[in-house]
Each structure stands twice: as C-alpha cells, then as structure tokens.
Amino acid sequence: MSDVMARLTARLGGMIAYGGDYNPEQWPREVWKEDARLMREAGVNLVTVGVFSWAWIEPRPGRYEFGFLDEVLGLLHEHGIAVDLATATASPPPWFLARHPEAMPVTAEGVRLWHGSRQGFCPSSPAYAEAAGRLVEQLAARYAGHPALALWHVHNEWGNHNAHCFCDASAAAFRDWLRERYGDLDALNDAWGTAFWSQRYGDWAEVMPPRATPAFRNPGQQLDYWRFSSDALLALHRAEAAVLRRLSPDVPITTNLMGTLEKKVDGFAFARECDLVAVDHYLTAADPQAHIDLSLNADLARGMAGGGPWLLMEHSTSAVNWQPRNIAKAPGEMRRNSLAHLARGADGIMYFQWRQSRAGAEKWHSAMLPHGGTATTTWRAVRDLGAELRTLRPVAGGAVEAEVAMLFDWHAWWALELEARPSVDVRYLDLIRHWYAALWRGGVTCDVVHPGTDLSRYRLVLVPSQYLVTDADAASLCRYVEDGGHAVVGFFSGVADERDHVRLGGHPGAYRGLLGLLVDEFLPLREKETVALDDGTTGTVWSERIVLEGAQAVRTFASGPAAGGPALTRHAHGRGTAWYVATRPEADALERILMDACGEAGVTPAVSAPGGVEAVRRAGADSAHLFVMNHTDETVFVPVRGTVVTGAARPADGGVEVAPGEVVVVRETAGA
Ligand code: GAL
C-alpha cells in the first residue's frame, strides 16, 4: 500500500496531495474556470470529482451523458490538477427509486426510507447492484486512460446512512450469508444459542434480520446481522473495484473510510480491499478534546494502512453543518488539524469541499473557498497551508514512529454494545478514547491496529476493551507476552468468543492464564458512582471481585462492592508482563498506569514536552521530522535539535519556544 501512495505522490510531482471534493455540477460553467485558477493559487493538486454526479451522468435510465465530466476533467488537466474520480454510486437519482421502489431501505420497524437525501438504497438490492455496476462500467470505459485520472474513488463513505436494511431482499441475502457461514441450520442454531427462549429454527425461511421485537433480540442473530451488513456493502465495493480493475488496471482504487465515526462498517475489512487507504475525519465541536479524537483516528488510519502512509480524503476547513451547534474553527485550528494528520502519516490533506454550496443541505458547511470568496480568513488559511505543504514535501512517505499498539476491532465493538449487558455505561469508544487520551497526554504515539496484526515489533500492547475475541487473536496476544512483550488489558475483555458465547472455565476466559487471575463476579457500579482505590484515585463504571492466581495486586479497591480486592494487577507471564485494569480509572490515574507500563516496557515519548503539547516523529529515508503542536494557551519550551522547517518558533537554549496554538515542524539533526 505504501508503494501506491508513493506512486501517487510521484504523480503529483513529489508533492503532498492537497485539495478536496469538487462538485462543479452545482455551478455554472463560468465558475469552473475561476475554480481551476483559484485551485492553482491555493496549491491544490488533487480533487475528487463526481461523488454525487449520478443524476448528471445518467439523467434517464441507460442514457449516459459525459459532456460535463469531459469538460471538467479536461479543464483540471490543463491546469495541472489531478483527479480522484468517484464512481458516483453514493446517491442514485430519483428515477432509480421511482422505477425500483423495492430498493428503498427499510428500518427495523418496517418504515421505508424515501428518495430525497442520499444513499437511499438497500445494500442488498439486486436492482441497485445492477444499476451501479452499469454506471461504473460506463465511467471506467470512458475515463480509464484519461490523463487527469490519478485515483478511483469507489462510492462515498460506505454505509454512512444506509448500512442496516431490514427489507425482504435483505432478509434473503442475510439467509444466503448465513448458509455460507454455517452450512446448515444445526450449526446456525448452535451459534445463535436458539435453545434459549424457544427460538430454534427448523426452516431457513423462518430466519429473519433482527427486526423490531417485543423483547430482547437474539444476540447471535444481531451480531451476525452487523457482520452481514458490513459484508453486504463490502460485496458492492468489491463489485465496483472488479470493474475498475478490469477496465482501468493501472489506476489505484480507494474509498473514503470513516474510522471511529462509523460503527457499522468494519474499516479493516474495507482497507484490505483498497490499493490505498483514505479516511474522512470531522471534529465534534462540543468536545474540548476533539483534537485527541483526531489523533486517534489518524493513528487508526495508519493501522488500517498497515503502518504506511494514507490519504486524508475529507475534513473541514471550519464548521460543519450536521452537529447541533456548528462551531467555526478558531484561527490556526484548521492548519493545526491538517498538520496533525500529516504528522501521523497522511500524505494527502483534502477537504469537504472545494467551493461552499449555495443551495442544498450542505450550504452551511464550510469549504476551502467560502461563500465570501477570496476575501475570507478561511481562504487565506487554505492558500497559506497549500504553500506550507509544498515546503513540507520531504515529509511524504516518512514512517511514523510508534512502539505501542492499541488493539481496535469493530466486531468487539458490535458485540460489547448489544442489548442486555452488565452495564450500559460500558461503551466501546468511551474506553478506547479514555485510554488513548491517557497515552496521548503522556506524549506517546501508538499504532491503532487490528488484533490479528503481528504484535512482535511493539514494546507494549494496550487492550482497552475486548469483550469478544477470536481464539486466534487471543492466542496471539498471549504468545506476544510469553515471548517477552508487555500488555495492559481492560476489564470485561476476553470473556466471549466470536459467536458471543461466554468462555467458560472462569472469567476472563481467554485471558485468565495471561493475567494470572480469576474474576469471581462482575460488580458494575451505579450511574456516576465512584469507587476509591488505595492510592487515593478513583474509578467509575466498573469493579469486580478478583481472585489472584499468580498475579500481584498493584492497587486495591478501597471502597465499593469490591473493597479490599485487587483493582490493578501485574502478572509475569512467560518472558513478559501483563497488567489488568479492573475499573475505569479517572484520567490522571489511568495516565499514570499507562506511563508506568511504558516505563517498564522501555517506551519513551517522541520528545519530553509539557502537557497539552503533541509531538510526533515521522522518519523518512533521509531525514526525520518532528511535529510539535501546542494545544495549550501558553508559550511552551520544547527541547529539539534540528532546523525549524515551518512554523513560528523562537530559538531557546536547547530547543524552541512555541506560541499557543502553533505548529512547528523540525527537521531533526542526525543522532538527536
Ligand atoms: C461526509 C461526506 C461528504 C459531506 C461531509 C460533510 O460524511 O462524505 O459528502 O457530506 O460529510 O461533513
């Protein structure tokens, strides 16, 4: 995958990709020329075209009109701007659902969702697959050899709005998927535990998607339905990719994934089907720690890209339009966000969208060229960043230094949050974010990876939450520690197998030997209840009664239902060490726990910087670049050795002073 990104960079003259979604169909032709001119002025070298152009390319069924795309691609090419051409399948035109009302998505309650927004189709609809397939054939045949074409952009944000459909076509496809997975009904009944509540199936026709029911739905049925739904979209992705590979074999294929912003789509599975990993990321304006979520998602993008560079396909220059209160970015924030992605392995910085719409549902969403045109702060920031990225071109291709891995798995997320669990407060992303933020505050960079990844190159592996784990992935973590690795495991991990069956023989099932303990009983806490630990810190959400079987108690509960029992344990296992965290520690306490583990594992931050300062190193073949991002309101001193490439830094003894909100990129001196 990194080769593909390197080829794209070479195609762009060695530059970091810079641009955004370009939707010229929303504008009269005269504007297109101005667009191309201003793109040049801003240093734009790659734009995504055609994401929502289906109704323009195929205005009536089977009638294809390419005039507008021919003209736009020609114009962009003349201006030296490469094109990431979308397959346009994300929004079928009104004629499609008028002809195929059966392709409308249906909710679990049986409500049909009509045309008038986007992604208005059932992922298992044969009519949709056929219409999309025909469109992609036409596009690929016409543009395969176009000189502007640098990348194919399959669909757009698969499953963002329509991942779960409960219609009859979905029911039939679900049955086919289950037949493939289980072979026969006995195996299905066993996997779903249908001996419970008289749910035994005697005929495939009785098997349904988990439509609305009077009481809890079968968890095995639900979990498989999440898997099936992600796979149904993946099948559509594969079908498009197959057409593109057949007709346009030289052009790489991507799709814009959504990381933690999309629960329903297994990002790792999609990443495996792309030549190049691309992601979108949007900040949650209400979250004061939104920049940490950005870092988490960038590290996950890199994990999906197998550690290599990736492309940031969309983020925003300022406010979005889909949150309750759409807060504009503060001066300098867009640059800080963009450079944080670059620091964490992006070789391309793109936005939604180039020119702010004047009509439609997204007219109040920011863009590179706002309604106010070139007289705006945002435009100036966009133009300045384009110039800065040209200076930063040697960063492209560099590998991000990370000695820690954090395990992330969509299947564990799905399973943890099914109905009827010990506590609704145990939320997958909450735990991932809480642990990630603690590590981030400690200044340590991690790769966010799938549990099946080869862990041997990491000094430390963090497992914030892994309710469901396959036998193979559990064995891999155990082996990693036996061979000398260090792991920290969060509560309620290792307890269920991939069918969501409890692992018997004592909790925490797969990790009882690794952790050297037995959980006698889970003791989840009341809403907002806190329990004290013996070091004066507190935990929330969870506690449990632990019997030590070789592990040592590092901290004990001082109050609450598990008072007197272990809260944090450490177990020497094989040649390595495994810690276990039996509550949700308060932020500072968790930071100390993880930093102690880092210390024992020999992991150090990229540079010793004050709290709230993010420092990440990207090392290329010839040089290493240290990115320093000051998220605080104070000027900070950071010890660095090297030359400041971009950003305002005041030289100081042994380092630099970085102003509030500033980003400084330092080309490090060898041996620093
Ligand atoms: C993305 C989507 C874009 C645009 C953007 C607005 O989810 O791919 O088309 O809608 O959000 O933030």
Side-chain angles (χ1 to χ4, degrees), residues 151-185:
L151 187 62
W152 283 109
H153 182 295
V154 173
H155 199 79
N156 189 66
E157 292 189 342
W158 283 111
N160 184 5
H161 309 292
N162 65 342
H164 287 182
C165 176
F166 297 83
C167 74
D168 291 343
S170 296
F174 185 38
R175 282 178 212 118
D176 290 345
W177 184 91
L178 291 166
R179 269 196 206 97
E180 181 78 30
R181 185 174 174 90
Y182 295 112
D184 59 36
L185 273 179

Side-chain angles (χ1 to χ4, degrees), residues 192-459:
W192 287 9
T194 57
F196 182 80
W197 277 359
S198 183
Q199 291 173 349
R200 188 166 183 81
Y201 293 99
D203 189 320
W204 282 102
E206 296 157 6
V207 179
M208 289 291 165
R211 292 174 175 161
T213 47
F216 295 130
R217 288 164 288 182
N218 179 299
Q221 176 195 18
Q222 288 190 73
L223 180 58
D224 273 346
Y225 185 71
W226 282 76
R227 289 179 171 134
F228 152 76
S229 299
S230 181
D231 280 359
L233 293 165
L234 190 59
L236 292 173
H237 174 91
R238 281 202 187 109
E240 288 198 22
V243 175
L244 297 172
R245 291 203 164 102
R246 172 163 50 79
L247 296 175
S248 177
D250 302 330
V251 179
I253 291 169
T254 192
T255 188
N256 46 345
L257 301 169
M258 299 175 69
T260 67
L261 273 58
E262 181 49 87
K263 177 178 173 184
K264 298 190 207 80
V265 168
D266 178 352
F268 288 113
F270 277 78
R272 283 192 283 271
E273 302 286 334
C274 292
D275 300 327
L276 164 61
V277 166
V279 301
D280 299 348
H281 184 263
Y282 289 95
L283 302 177
T284 301
D287 176 6
Q289 302 294 301
H291 55 280
I292 303 184
D293 187 69
L294 181 160
S295 303
L296 162 63
N297 273 281
D299 290 348
L300 174 58
R302 195 174 63 253
M304 292 194 286
W310 48 279
L311 184 63
L312 177 66
M313 188 63 90
E314 288 181 25
H315 67 320
S316 68
T317 57
S318 190
V320 298
N321 68 318
W322 42 265
Q323 293 174 16
R325 283 158 214 89
N326 295 301
I327 311 301
K329 289 192 181 177
E333 191 175 356
M334 180 200 91
R335 169 176 178 257
R336 208 160 53 244
N337 295 161
S338 303
L339 294 182
H341 284 291
L342 186 71
R344 291 177 186 274
D347 272 0
I349 301 296
M350 317 255 298
Y351 301 89
F352 177 83
Q353 61 178 328
W354 162 252
R355 184 184 278 274
Q356 188 169 17
S357 305
R358 68 178 163 189
E362 295 189 317
K363 58 181 171 296
W364 298 117
H365 191 292
S366 61
M368 298 174 83
L369 185 60
H371 291 145
T374 54
T376 52
T377 309
T378 294
W379 168 256
R380 283 190 291 276
V382 163
R383 209 191 40 198
D384 292 351
L385 184 62
E388 186 169 0
L389 291 176
R390 284 198 289 277
T391 309
L392 288 173
R393 60 192 279 192
V395 170
V400 175
E401 258 178 29
E403 297 174 322
V404 179
M406 178 176 283
L407 302 190
F408 189 91
D409 182 10
W410 268 268
H411 297 243
W413 184 2
W414 298 336
L416 181 72
E417 296 183 358
L418 293 174
E419 299 155 324
R421 294 315 198 218
S423 169
V424 293
D425 296 329
V426 182
R427 308 288 299 173
Y428 189 75
L429 268 196
D430 169 64
L431 292 165
I432 292 282
R433 286 193 175 127
H434 191 53
W435 283 49
Y436 182 88
L439 195 69
W440 188 97
R441 287 193 305 274
V444 172
T445 308
C446 71
D447 289 343
V448 179
V449 301
H450 186 269
T453 303
D454 174 13
L455 301 173
S456 60
R457 71 181 199 80
Y458 295 105
R459 288 178 185 269

